[in-house]
Amino acid sequence: MRVRAPRPGPDPAPGPEAETPPQLGPLGLVTVLLGAFLPMLDFFIVNVALPTIDRDLAAGPAMLEMVVAGYGIAYAVLLVLGGRLGDTFGRRRLFAAGAVAFAVTSAACGLAPTAGTLVAARVAQGAAAALMLPQVLATIQATTTGRRRATALGRYGAVAGISVVIGQVLGGVLVSADLFGTGWRSIFLVNVPVALVAAVLALRAVPESRSAHPAPVDAAGTVLLAVSLLTLLVPLMEGRAVGWPLWTWLLLAAFPFAVAAFAVVERRAERAGRVPLVPPSLLAVPGMRRGLAMGLPFFVGFGGFMFTVAVALQQGLRLGPVAAGMALVPMAVGFFAASLTGPRLVGRYGSRTITAGALVQAVGLAVLALTFLRAGSDLGPLDLLPGTALAGVGQGLVMTPLFRVVLADVPVERAGVGSGVLVTTQQASLALGVATLGTLFLALSPDTVLGVPDAVAVVLLVQLAGTAAVVLLSRRLPRTVR
């Protein structure tokens, strides 16, 4: 009697470890970079429009700072949560949903009838951006490898920087153009069709990815992170305008306790086997820990510089929106050129490229400070060209490789959390720069202690000290950048 061999059945479905990850194509990369461009653009596009918003809505200095930093606070508070949700529900899905929400909230900003409504709409816009942006870095991490990943991260770094400068240039052009009589409102309304196009392209060109073992939402960590950021940033932004009442000092006093509580809760969660919002073990990765430490003074200075210069050129030196925006074109050109050459320099010289970039930026800031001090109220856009061009080159050589350094050793399955931590640090630092250096400038400018040129020079010298810290910290980065 012959025993018939069993017929082979279908191969078992491969587990998540055996699947070949989907690859991000050129159109997909362009789409996610567009999604990165919009939120970063909108942090700064409003700067050049602030004087016009002030006249139209009677906003006042405190409200103007909230229009900028309110967006940044909501953005920073929810970014890590946005990365976690993308890991769980799918990064493409969250990217598309965030893009649609960004379009809706941008329309709300453009139609805001009062300063308070505009601030509320900006907070909602920051929350929508927090859904969209973490999916960009996480998608790049999960759907690219090797040289393609290095190239994509380099382009992300270039977009992150160039969008800031383009934001202020574009903002000036749109405000002056007064499209269909919309004035400053066009800087928000222009986002609506672009964000909707990004959502449609994402569904067609971006591969879906998610974590094989998604972690649940860390509610306690999210609340404590929000409390930590709010207790620091709100009093710093509002304190000067309202005369530093008792509540501002109480909030500042609560800040270190909120941070300590956040650290304790996150450490206990990880020890208990859960995945906290910001895993302490992730911060133990050398590249991430050192890169974030270096990014803090860099982005604080960057955010404070862009706010200060935009307000100073218009309200202090009486330049129009276009002239104020065009004054930063040399910075955009320098940044773009450095971003194009940066990846090759990083491949050859490693993290020494970042050190060299910080030194070039320091020279540019020093030149700008001397320019403001010597030219005074006679300052024109051309006077700023040497300093802004040097600062832009230096910033491009720092920012472009910084993202590669921070994320190089982050495991793919933690891509969402890692990218969320990185961008949270970036956005919180930008908001902190507006809150600290912006407040310093407003406190020293006309009708107070110094004139506008001298006040700007003081802010630039403070930023120069921060750049010196970037130089020193960059020396501790891994010499080779993958």
Side-chain angles (χ1 to χ4, degrees):
M1 178 177 176
R2 283 193 313 172
V3 178
R4 299 177 63 181
R7 297 175 63 183
D11 293 335
E17 307 83 14
E19 292 180 358
T20 302
Q23 295 298 301
L24 186 67
L27 181 58
L29 178 60
V30 169
T31 301
V32 295
L33 291 180
L34 178 61
F37 180 79
L38 281 175
M40 296 178 191
L41 178 86
D42 261 61
F43 190 97
F44 289 98
I45 195 173
V46 72
N47 282 348
V48 175
L50 289 175
T52 310
I53 293 172
D54 189 17
R55 289 193 298 270
D56 190 21
L57 301 181
M63 276 293 188
L64 291 181
E65 284 189 274
M66 283 299 297
V67 167
V68 178
Y71 172 89
I73 292 172
Y75 197 1
V77 165
L78 298 173
L79 271 166
V80 179
L81 178 61
R84 181 69 57 83
L85 293 174
D87 287 348
T88 303
F89 297 108
R91 293 158 187 147
R92 181 182 65 183
R93 181 180 300 176
L94 264 291
F95 179 93
V100 172
F102 194 80
V104 172
T105 52
S106 293
C109 290
L111 300 174
T114 65
T117 308
L118 177 58
V119 170
R122 284 282 283 173
V123 171
Q125 189 187 32
L131 279 182
M132 179 167 57
L133 188 63
Q135 319 315 326
V136 176
L137 280 172
T139 297
I140 290 173
Q141 285 286 97
T143 60
T144 60
T145 55
R147 184 178 296 276
R148 292 180 66 248
R149 179 183 295 176
T151 300
L153 288 175
R155 290 176 181 171
Y156 176 89
V159 166
I162 202 70
S163 61
V164 173
V165 184
I166 287 178
Q168 302 212 165
V169 176
L170 180 61
V173 171
L174 289 174
V175 171
S176 295
D178 193 21
L179 298 173
F180 307 107
T182 55
W184 58 267
R185 299 177 186 276
S186 61
I187 66 174
F188 299 115
L189 296 176
V190 73
N191 292 332
V192 176
V194 180
L196 293 177
V197 167
V200 172
L201 288 177
L203 297 176
R204 294 177 59 89
V206 177
E208 184 62 282
S209 65
R210 55 171 55 86
S211 174
H213 306 287
V217 171
D218 177 10
T222 301
V223 170
L224 286 171
L225 177 62
V227 171
S228 299
L229 291 173
L230 291 172
T231 53
L232 175 65
L233 295 176
V234 170
L236 287 177
M237 286 185 299
E238 298 294 297
R240 184 197 64 83
V242 298
W244 297 104
L246 178 61
W247 67 263
T248 60
W249 296 108
L250 291 176
L251 285 179
L252 287 172
F255 168 69
F257 295 100
V259 172
F262 176 69
V264 169
V265 166
E266 299 298 272
R267 193 177 298 114
R268 285 180 177 173
E270 191 164 50
R271 286 176 179 170
R274 301 190 299 274
V275 181
L277 191 71
V278 181
S281 61
L282 195 62
L283 298 179
V285 176
M288 171 159 277
R289 183 180 67 252
R290 294 169 184 171
L292 293 179
M294 190 193 75
L296 178 62
F298 177 79
F299 289 118
V300 165
F302 198 51
F305 172 85
M306 301 304 284
F307 176 85
T308 296
V309 170
V311 175
L313 292 180
Q314 291 190 81
Q315 291 191 334
L317 303 178
R318 306 303 176 190
L319 297 180
V322 173
M326 295 302 289
L328 295 174
V329 167
M331 176 178 284
V333 173
F335 191 102
F336 185 67
S339 298
L340 291 178
T341 59
R344 289 195 296 271
L345 293 174
V346 170
R348 184 170 182 179
Y349 301 107
S351 62
R352 285 174 291 186
T353 305
I354 298 177
T355 305
L359 290 171
V360 173
Q361 183 189 13
V363 174
L365 293 174
V367 170
L368 278 173
L370 289 173
T371 301
F372 273 95
L373 288 172
R374 294 178 63 180
S377 58
D378 296 326
L379 185 73
L382 288 178
D383 297 319
L384 299 177
L385 193 154
T388 53
L390 284 170
V393 170
Q395 289 161 354
L397 292 176
V398 172
M399 194 182 299
T400 302
L402 177 59
F403 295 97
R404 287 175 59 182
V405 170
V406 173
L407 295 174
D409 298 322
V410 175
V412 171
E413 64 272 13
R414 306 178 86 180
V417 177
S419 61
V421 170
L422 169 58
V423 185
T424 294
T425 302
Q426 178 191 14
Q427 295 304 319
S429 300
L430 290 171
L432 183 60
V434 174
T436 53
L437 297 183
T439 298
L440 175 63
F441 166 73
L442 293 173
L444 297 178
S445 53
D447 303 325
T448 51
V449 181
L450 303 175
V452 167
D454 292 341
V456 174
V458 170
V459 170
L460 290 171
L461 292 175
V462 173
Q463 187 186 358
L464 187 59
T467 305
V470 172
V471 172
L472 295 175
L473 290 168
S474 69
R475 303 286 296 173
R476 301 186 65 247
L477 295 174
R479 183 59 57 89
T480 302
V481 180
R482 295 194 290 118

